[in-house]
Amino acid sequence: MDEGLIVSTAARALAFSTPLLWAALGEIYAERAGVVNLGVEGMMILGAVGGFIVAQTSGSPWLGVLAAAFIGGLAALLHAFIAVTLRANQYVSGLAVTIFGLGLSGLVGRSYVGLPLRNPIETLSVPGLESLPLVGPALFRDQSPLTYLALALALALYLLLHHSRLGLTLRSVGEAPIAADVAGVNVARVRYSAVVFGGVMAGVGGAYLSLAYRPSWGENMTNGMGWIALALAIFALWDPLRAVGAA
């Protein structure tokens, strides 16, 4: 097989997997706390449109990323309130958030459809690693900073979940909430933080699409990626490192 084809295919695969990885990592974290979030698609699309509007207005794509993270977290907070505080059905709540997000994004982004982003997030290369044969140009050259950040977060979340007290607390809340409550853990607080964190991750994943991968806004530009991220979390057996390969 042609070496150039291998390099270009691997590079494109890594770029396209970035939003999936962001969303899947957030879903893994939330599900480890015992909350299923079917609203990932809605949070991603809201992050995409919100991040684009802020970046286009301010001229700063990184301000757009922060806005997307905030919007995704806000949508997740709504899901957490319904699912954790009101104890409503998690699946129905998540689906409602997705439907709401798809509708609202189409409404607020209507006047921005087709506009190119003024200042998209620029790609970068990793000095030293980009010169490695085959692997260097495929994985470490001309990728978005959000791609490298997602890979670093996957490792950080793995260490947090499996080698820290916080991770032990999170997993105990997800697997045995009654026992965790008896041990003095505030189950609702842990679940709230996990769900909101998942929403932040989904929002950034959506922002990657409109600020880096295809720096523009189009209705339904996530095109089901939130659902794929949900499947990836299960396929990876709720393991952050496995999610990298799955994505």
Side-chain angles (χ1 to χ4, degrees), residues 115-153:
L115 292 180
L117 184 64
R118 287 190 295 161
N119 298 309
I121 296 176
E122 296 183 358
T123 60
L124 55 82
S125 301
V126 180
L129 296 180
E130 65 171 322
S131 59
L132 293 173
L134 196 62
V135 177
L139 304 181
F140 301 110
R141 182 179 297 169
D142 296 330
Q143 293 287 349
S144 170
L146 290 176
T147 299
Y148 299 124
L149 184 56
L151 295 174
L153 279 172

Side-chain angles (χ1 to χ4, degrees), residues 10-29:
R12 296 300 293 173
L14 183 60
F16 190 73
S17 69
T18 298
L20 296 174
L21 182 57
W22 275 95
L25 289 175
E27 180 63 16
I28 287 171
Y29 196 81

Side-chain angles (χ1 to χ4, degrees), residues 29 155-173 240:
Y29 196 81
L155 177 59
L157 285 178
Y158 173 82
L159 295 174
L160 184 146
L161 286 172
H162 298 284
H163 300 281
S164 73
R165 183 178 181 84
L166 177 59
L168 178 62
T169 300
L170 185 78
R171 288 184 287 117
S172 66
V173 166

